C-alpha cells in the first residue's frame, strides 16, 4: 500500500520514533507548526477518524491516553494542543489516522 504513514510505522521509511509499541508509533512532524509538534498514529491503516469503527475503540483509547504521556516526555510543560484533522473539509492531508500534539511556547503569541 502506498501510504507514507504505513511506511513509517512499518519501518520502510527511516524516521526517528519518539515511541513505539505493538499498535502505535509516534514521531516528530516533518513540518512543525509549534516548538514541539509530533504525531501519534496507529500501525493499522485507518484512513481517518471517520473510518474508525467500534472495533477500534481500544486502539483509539490507547492513542488518546498516550497524548499526555508523550507530551510530558517531549517537554510540553505548559500544556498542549491536540488536533485530529478528518477528511477533505477537515484539512487532512495524509489519509492515515493521526493525532497532532503541539506544545512549547506558543509562537503565535
Ligand atoms: P494532516 O494535514 O493530514 O492532518 O497532517 C499531516 C501531517 O503530516 C502534516 O503536519 C505534515 O507536515 C506531516 N507529514 C507529512 N509527511 C510526513 C513525513 O513523511 N514525515 C513526517 N515526519 N511528517 C510528515
Ligand atoms: Zn497507512
Amino acid at each position: 500500500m502506498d501510504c507514507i504513514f504505513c511506511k513509517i510505522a512499518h519501518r520502510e521509511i527511516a524516521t526517528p520514533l519518539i515511541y513505539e509499541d505493538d499498535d502505535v508509533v509516534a514521531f516528530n512532524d516533518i513540518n512543525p507548526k509549534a516548538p514541539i509538534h509530533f504525531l501519534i498514529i496507529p500501525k493499522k491503516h485507518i484512513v481517518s477518524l471517520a473510518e474508525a469503527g467500534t472495533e477500534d475503540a481500544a486502539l483509539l483509547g490507547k492513542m488518546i491516553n498516550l497524548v499526555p504521556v508523550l507530551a510530558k516526555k517531549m517537554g510540553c510543560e505548559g500544556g498542549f494542543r491536540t488536533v485530529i484533522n478528518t477528511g477533505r473539509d477537515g484539512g487532512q492531508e495524509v489519509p492515515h489516522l493521526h493525532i497532532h500534539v503541539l506544545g512549547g511556547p506558543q509562537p503565535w503569541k
Side-chain angles (χ1 to χ4, degrees):
M1 191 189 302
D2 195 25
C3 169
I4 188 123
F5 283 1
C6 279
K7 288 179 178 167
I8 290 173
H10 300 293
R11 316 304 295 134
E12 291 161 27
I13 293 176
T15 297
L17 299 182
I18 295 164
Y19 175 85
E20 179 174 21
D21 66 26
D22 286 347
D23 306 309
V24 174
V25 297
F27 51 90
N28 280 317
D29 196 291
I30 203 168
N31 183 21
K33 307 286 195 306
I36 300 165
H37 184 180
F38 63 91
L39 305 172
I40 303 174
I41 72 169
K43 287 186 173 176
K44 176 183 176 183
H45 182 79
I46 300 171
V47 171
S48 80
L49 194 57
E51 277 77 20
T54 52
E55 70 277 14
D56 299 310
L59 176 60
L60 295 176
K62 183 179 202 175
M63 291 170 64
I64 291 292
N65 282 147
L66 270 170
V67 171
V69 174
L70 296 182
K72 186 175 182 188
K73 177 179 173 179
M74 296 303 290
C76 299
E77 293 176 1
F80 49 84
R81 178 175 297 191
T82 309
V83 175
I84 305 175
N85 296 323
T86 302
R88 183 190 61 234
D89 292 345
Q92 184 179 7
E93 292 175 5
V94 177
H96 180 128
L97 175 63
H98 49 281
I99 301 176
H100 293 260
V101 183
L102 302 105
Q106 295 186 26
W108 53 87
K109 287 206 168 167

